[in-house]
Structures are given as C-alpha cells and as structure tokens.
Amino acid sequence: MKNAQKRALAGVLSAALLCGCGMQGENIPLQNSFGEENPGAVGSETQEQAAKDVPGGTDAAGSSEAGEQVDAGISVKEPWEQIPLQMIDDNYRTYYEVFVYSFCDSDGDGVGDLQGLISRLDYINDGDDATDSDLGCNGIWLMPVHPSPTYHKYDVADYYAIDEAYGTLEDFEELLRQCDRRGIKVIMDLVLNHSSSQNAWFQEACAYLKELDGAEPDAEACPYFDYYHFSREQSGGYYPVEGTDWYYEAQFWSEMPDFNLDCEPLREEIAKITRYWLDMGVGGFRLDAVKEFYSGAPQSNIDFLTWLTDTVKKQKPDAYLVGEAWLDMADYAPYYESGIDSVFNFAFADKDGIISKVLNGSSAAKYGAAVSSLEEMFGACNPDYIDAPFYTNHDMGRSAGYYAGENSAAQTKMAGAMNLFMSGSAFLYYGEELGMKGSGKDENKRAPMYWSMDPGAEGMCDGPADMEDVKMKFESLEEQEKDERSVYQFYKKVLKIRNQNPEIARGKAEYVLVGDFLAEDTKENVCAIKKIYGDSELLLVFVTGAETEELDLTGITLNGKQIGTETEIRGTLVTGEEEILFENGRAVMPGFSALVLK
C-alpha cells in the first residue's frame, strides 16, 4: 500500500476508534484477560492518552516528536499481554535444545557444565507464570551428556554415567529436580546407532577376538561380540580389529562402531538404560539417527522403533520420544507407524526449508498448504502423532545467516514465529532467540551461548577447540534484554502467545484464504491458518513479505461467528516500528508481522 493511502486508511480507523465507533457505527472495546471491557482501551480515554499509546510517541494529530507524520491507530499489544498462561502438563511442549559444552560454564574452565545450566534455568523458565523475565520453554532437550572422547559426545563410552567435564551424576539429579520445580520436562539424547570405540562393550569384544587365535567366536563366552557387527570380510564402512583378521562396521566414523540391534541381549541392555534414566526422572529421549539403525532398510528401522517405543511406554507411559530421520517428508512420515510420539519435521527447517523459502520470496501459500497437509500425512500413519517442528539444530547453519539485506532482521524474527506457531512440540536451538550466527564446520554451529559480548564474562564458554571465529550479527543477551525491538524480545512474545493459547500447539491446522481489503484476490505474502482444538478455534495471520497488507477477514468464521466486532485479539507481533491496525474484521498489517485472533 502506498504511504499516503495507508495513512488515510489508518486515519479513518483511528478516528472511528477514538470516537468510540466502529467503521459501521459499532463500538469495539478491547478486552482484558477476563473478557471484561478494558477501561484503558482506546474509546474510553482521551485522544491525548490514546495517542501516547501509539509507538513513536505521537500526539493526537499523529505527529511524532520529530514532527513526522506517522500512522495512528488502536494499540493492541497491552490487552493480550495480560492474558494468563495456560501451561498444560502434557507432551505438547516447547523444547529448548541445549549443548551443555557451549551453554554456561560454572567453574571457569571454558567448558559448559550442568551446574552452569542449572544457574541459567530461570532464563529458560523460572516456573512462575506471573513473571515475564524467562523465555517460557517448558522442555529441555539435552544433547549427549554421557562420557565420550569427543567434544560433541555422540559416541558414548558409558550409557550409565555423566561426562566428568559436565559434572557428576549428583549434578544431573539436581538438574532434574530444579527442572521439575519449574515444570520443565527434560529429554536426553539417546544414541543407539553406534557407541564409542572406547565403550567397554566394544573394547571387551575386540579383546575377546584377539584371544580366539582362529577359533570361532561364541556369544555366550562374550555377549558383547553380538552387540556389534563383526565380520571376517571387509565390506564398505568396515574397519580392521587390530591384531586379528576381523573387521567391524562403523558407517559414520571408524571410532563409532555400529550396534547390532537384532541382538536380544543388546536390546535388554537398551531397556535397562532407558529404565535407569526414566526412574531417575528423565521425561523421555531424543533418538539420534533413527534412519541409520538399519541403513537402507526403512521397515527394519520402523520395526525397531516399534519395539523401543513399546518398551519405553511400558516403563513410563507419559515418556516422550522424538526421532531424527533426516529425510524428505514422504520418507519420514512412515516412521510414525512405529507409534513413536514425534519425528522431527525437516521439511520446514534449514536454509532450504519451507519457512526460509517463504520468507525469501516464495508464496506464503506454500507454508499454509504444507502446515495444513500434516494431519493427513502423519495422521494416516499414527492418529496420535505429535509433530516436532524445528527451524535449526546443531547440524545446521544458524538461521540469522539465511537472510541478507535491509529486511534480514525482520525475516529472522518472523522465522521464529512461523516455527513456534506450528502445532506439536516445537523445538528451539539455544541462541536462535538471540539471532546467533554460525555456519560451515559443525563446531561453528555450536558456538558459545552469547550471554555477553565480553568473552571473559561470567558463564561464557570457549566453544569447541576447532571452532573458527564466528562474528555475530546481533548483540548479546545483555544488550537485547534492554531493547524492546530485539530478536530476543520478539521470541519472548512469540513464546508467550504460544503459552497463552493451547490451540496453537494442540490444534488441527486448516489453511484459510484471506481476501484483499478492497478486492477479492488473495494475497501472495499473506497466510492465514485456523487452529481447531476441541470446541475452540484460533486464527493465525502472517504477513511474510516487506509490504504492508490490507486484509478483509470478515468472510472467515471463527468459533461460529464471522470475524468482526466480537473477535478477540490474542496476540500481535511486529518486526518494525509500525503496529497492526484491526477494526471490525479488517486489518492493516505491516510487513513481516503476525496477528492472532479468537
């Protein structure tokens, strides 16, 4: 919309509101969290006070302190922020992925640890719904914390212990207690495709083979021999057992020997491992590389996941399992046939995923259509599925690097909303809420949490030894906390809206076409998604381009009524200085913004 046209329209909306009238002569009061008319809303106060609520410090005539004409309109952000949170204790959560090594250092050795994480739990969630200082995540996914010879610890040397660089088992138990007090569910990374070559099971199996002196192995004499794939023939991905004529399979790396998951004693061992951590208080597991359990054999992977899911659910019925299958959607959807709760939704993630493509210019319909198709695709495999949307993780370049140009900050923010407003258990990689950067080698993607711009500040970590110099795009948490328009503050608002409205995480998504204010055509950069949860409906409206959009929402039915004077605003998100105008079912939304209605 041209500026002059937009100012004129905004003026009409503003004038109608300031005199207490709607565009069709109806009064539209803002409501507080109890559904009562808000005495502080525009229409029940003076024009002077109303003007003060407009961002930019305008007077009643719409002039800023600098004398520039700006858009006046209804301030819609205060009432929805008063809506109480509805934190339901189920498996629809918002998980914060933590790489302990790079998160927070409590003892000054440069390596993050469990006590450091404990000291920062209030940043993730302080457990008090009345406060507004925490992010609002109610789940933590811990990347591997078991003893391991590598910094990333995806090669486990002992499945029953904590890596000494991170702390002790007592530290871990304290972490679980502190998380439980805050309503945070902790899931552990469980690596079952392979172990470390330093694992005692593998070491004993290799020692046994060296003692055979040409005789045939006997699994009863050494059960660990059957835990792995040993062969006298060297196929692809097989490495020699030193001092023998045997080879072992290690498809990822020579120091990550693959497990033989058909081995019944190994399965019994896995069941002991899951019970051990569940009994301690862990809420479930993130399952690494599930498509490689039986590489190239999807049905065998699904069959193993069926056994594992049944095993864990018998041990703890409300345990949560989410699997990593880095595949196209049509290929990872069948993994839901195992009964697993969730499979990570890779289609929306990474620089080539749906979210990034839409924000870089593809039609918003691509996002809306894809979101609404998930029920049919995943539900056909498991009607009780819980989607696991995420935008980045420890294996991907960070999202701040996906965008360039004058709109890059706005795009970085909107990507967070498009991820966290999806149904299911959403996942947020540490530091994404600060717009951290990191790409290229894996170590760069796992840079130290950006608590401070001072690398020597309390809690700051050194990061992986082979990490290159990572230059951040946005400031650290210390600065962003003080900036209401920072990436961090935007993410906090997104998470608050998600926590206020159970429909967002739990609702069935339905793509809705939105008409133009003055014409019938749909908008290329506008996407509306209805969330249906029980007898409640919510509407999410996204503007995914830089231009302001005029929208007529009156043709949409929400909770049995057409959107109009009785529609409640449940959240607004803007990435710049212009606010959203909403009146009588019609909206003026600035570029890269979102509106939530009920």
Side-chain angles (χ1 to χ4, degrees):
M1 181 188 336
K2 291 184 173 60
N3 288 337
Q5 182 184 7
K6 179 169 178 284
R7 281 197 294 270
L9 179 60
V12 172
L13 287 175
S14 182
L17 288 163
L18 288 170
C19 71
C21 302
M23 290 183 70
Q24 298 179 7
E26 298 172 292
N27 185 37
I28 305 183
L30 286 177
Q31 294 183 333
N32 62 22
S33 59
F34 301 99
E36 302 165 340
E37 184 168 337
N38 184 353
V42 177
S44 60
E45 59 187 353
T46 66
Q47 282 193 353
E48 180 180 0
Q49 182 61 43
K52 291 179 181 177
D53 290 337
V54 179
T58 59
D59 58 22
S63 299
S64 69
E65 292 178 357
E68 297 175 349
Q69 182 74 23
V70 298
D71 297 314
I74 184 169
S75 175
V76 294
K77 63 180 182 179
E78 289 186 3
W80 71 257
E81 288 180 342
Q82 299 170 12
I83 297 172
L85 304 184
Q86 297 187 52
M87 305 294 285
I88 301 174
D89 187 15
D90 60 9
N91 277 331
Y92 289 83
R93 292 177 178 261
T94 309
Y95 282 92
Y96 191 73
E97 181 188 355
V98 174
F99 180 39
V100 175
Y101 192 98
S102 289
F103 193 65
C104 184
D105 174 20
S106 71
D107 57 12
D109 65 356
V111 176
D113 46 54
L114 294 178
Q115 285 296 333
L117 173 56
I118 291 169
S119 73
R120 295 287 187 169
L121 284 179
D122 283 350
Y123 170 79
I124 299 170
N125 193 322
D126 63 10
D128 185 351
D129 290 352
T131 65
D132 203 21
S133 57
D134 58 322
L135 273 178
C137 294
N138 59 347
I140 290 176
W141 157 21
L142 285 178
M143 288 172 61
V145 295
H146 302 302
S148 168
T150 63
Y151 82 93
H152 53 71
K153 310 199 184 307
Y154 276 99
D155 48 341
V156 178
D158 184 350
Y159 284 89
Y160 296 95
I162 298 296
D163 193 290
E164 62 179 13
Y166 288 173
T168 65
L169 198 58
E170 289 72 25
D171 292 330
F172 186 77
E173 290 174 316
E174 182 183 352
L175 171 66
L176 294 179
R177 287 193 297 270
Q178 293 293 340
C179 285
D180 186 63
R181 287 177 51 192
R182 292 165 171 80
I184 299 172
K185 191 167 193 170
V186 177
I187 62 173
M188 298 178 73
D189 223 314
L190 186 58
V191 186
L192 297 179
N193 177 71
H194 52 261
S195 76
S196 167
S197 61
Q198 301 302 309
N199 192 294
W201 306 334
F202 185 73
Q203 292 284 308
E204 289 193 33
C206 290
Y208 171 70
L209 291 176
K210 291 178 182 178
E211 296 171 357
L212 284 178
D213 195 25
E216 288 301 311
D218 180 0
E220 291 188 5
C222 179
Y224 300 125
F225 168 79
D226 262 359
Y227 276 30
Y228 299 90
H229 293 286
F230 290 102
S231 173
R232 282 196 170 97
E233 296 182 5
Q234 186 174 20
S235 304
Y238 276 71
Y239 297 85
V241 178
E242 186 178 350
T244 75
D245 59 354
W246 287 88
Y247 300 88
Y248 65 93
E249 184 180 19
Q251 295 293 336
F252 279 20
W253 178 40
S254 62
E255 305 310 304
M256 291 178 171
D258 287 359
F259 280 131
N260 170 23
L261 295 174
D262 284 332
C263 174
E264 284 302 321
L266 175 58
R267 291 197 179 197
E268 293 173 8
E269 189 80 60
I270 290 171
K272 291 178 184 177
I273 292 168
T274 56
R275 179 175 290 281
Y276 177 79
W277 295 106
L278 291 171
D279 287 350
M280 193 177 295
V282 167
F285 303 97
R286 180 265 186 185
L287 305 175
D288 183 59
V290 300
K291 75 180 184 70
E292 303 300 336
F293 290 160
Y294 299 82
S295 297
Q299 190 56 53
S300 295
N301 292 328
I302 293 169
D303 292 344
F304 177 77
L305 279 178
T306 301
W307 170 83
L308 181 61
T309 300
D310 291 345
T311 298
V312 169
K313 293 295 185 178
K314 287 177 183 176
Q315 294 171 345
K316 185 178 176 65
D318 65 343
Y320 177 68
L321 293 174
V322 55
E324 178 211 23
W326 199 329
L327 298 163
D328 291 336
M329 187 186 292
D331 294 320
Y332 60 74
Y335 280 76
Y336 276 112
E337 294 173 1
S338 67
I340 192 172
D341 297 298
S342 300
V343 179
F344 282 116
N345 198 333
F346 278 86
F348 292 81
D350 209 354
K351 62 182 182 301
D352 296 320
I354 291 171
I355 291 176
S356 179
K357 285 183 176 178
V358 168
L359 289 171
N360 273 315
S362 293
S363 170
K366 185 179 183 72
Y367 173 78
V371 167
S372 63
S373 72
L374 300 179
E375 177 73 22
E376 180 178 356
M377 180 169 287
F378 298 157
C381 300
N382 178 3
D384 298 321
Y385 84 95
I386 300 173
D387 191 19
F390 73 105
Y391 187 42
T392 64
N393 67 17
H394 59 278
D395 289 324
M396 299 174 175
R398 287 188 175 274
S399 64
Y402 300 173
Y403 311 104
E406 62 180 346
N407 296 315
S408 62
Q411 291 165 308
T412 299
K413 294 175 183 177
M414 275 303 294
M418 293 171 72
N419 172 44
L420 294 170
F421 278 178
M422 289 180 66
S423 298
S425 277
F427 286 77
L428 172 62
Y429 186 38
Y430 80 95
E432 287 296 296
E433 75 278 11
L434 303 178
M436 283 178 59
K437 286 191 70 177
S439 60
K441 61 196 309 185
D442 284 345
E443 289 86 347
N444 300 346
K445 304 166 187 174
R446 304 160 189 176
M449 177 64 175
Y450 205 30
W451 302 112
S452 172
M453 295 175 73
D454 175 8
E458 182 178 356
M460 289 294 292
C461 302
D462 293 341
D466 293 333
M467 181 185 75
E468 298 166 337
D469 183 33
V470 179
K471 183 174 177 57
M472 295 301 169
K473 186 174 184 176
F474 302 99
E475 294 181 310
S476 73
L477 176 66
E478 288 180 346
E479 290 73 31
Q480 291 200 38
E481 281 181 317
K482 304 167 188 174
D483 180 3
E484 281 301 312
R485 299 199 180 277
S486 67
V487 176
Y488 167 71
Q489 295 291 357
F490 185 88
Y491 263 86
K492 280 181 62 179
K493 290 179 181 178
V494 173
L495 285 162
K496 183 169 187 175
I497 294 170
R498 180 177 171 90
N499 291 334
Q500 289 169 328
N501 300 281
E503 299 92 341
I504 293 178
R506 297 161 185 80
K508 177 182 176 182
E510 180 181 295
Y511 179 41
V512 180
L513 295 178
V514 177
D516 190 280
F517 216 61
L518 306 172
E520 296 297 322
D521 61 317
T522 57
K523 312 285 285 186
E524 184 76 6
N525 292 326
V526 176
C527 174
I529 296 172
K530 184 184 291 187
K531 294 289 189 80
I532 305 166
Y533 175 55
D535 58 359
S536 179
E537 295 180 343
L538 199 75
L539 187 72
L540 310 175
V541 185
F542 300 93
V543 173
T544 61
E547 297 300 314
T548 298
E549 301 286 355
E550 305 172 6
L551 306 177
D552 185 354
L553 306 176
T554 58
I556 300 173
T557 301
L558 201 59
N559 296 303
K561 299 179 181 179
Q562 282 190 317
I563 291 179
T565 59
E566 298 181 24
T567 303
E568 181 185 5
I569 296 166
R570 300 288 295 192
T572 61
L573 294 167
V574 294
T575 56
E577 296 184 358
E578 295 183 60
E579 297 293 340
I580 293 172
L581 305 177
F582 179 76
E583 161 68 18
N584 199 27
R586 299 182 176 185
V588 178
M589 297 179 61
F592 301 112
S593 65
L595 174 64
V596 183
L597 300 173
K598 185 174 182 179

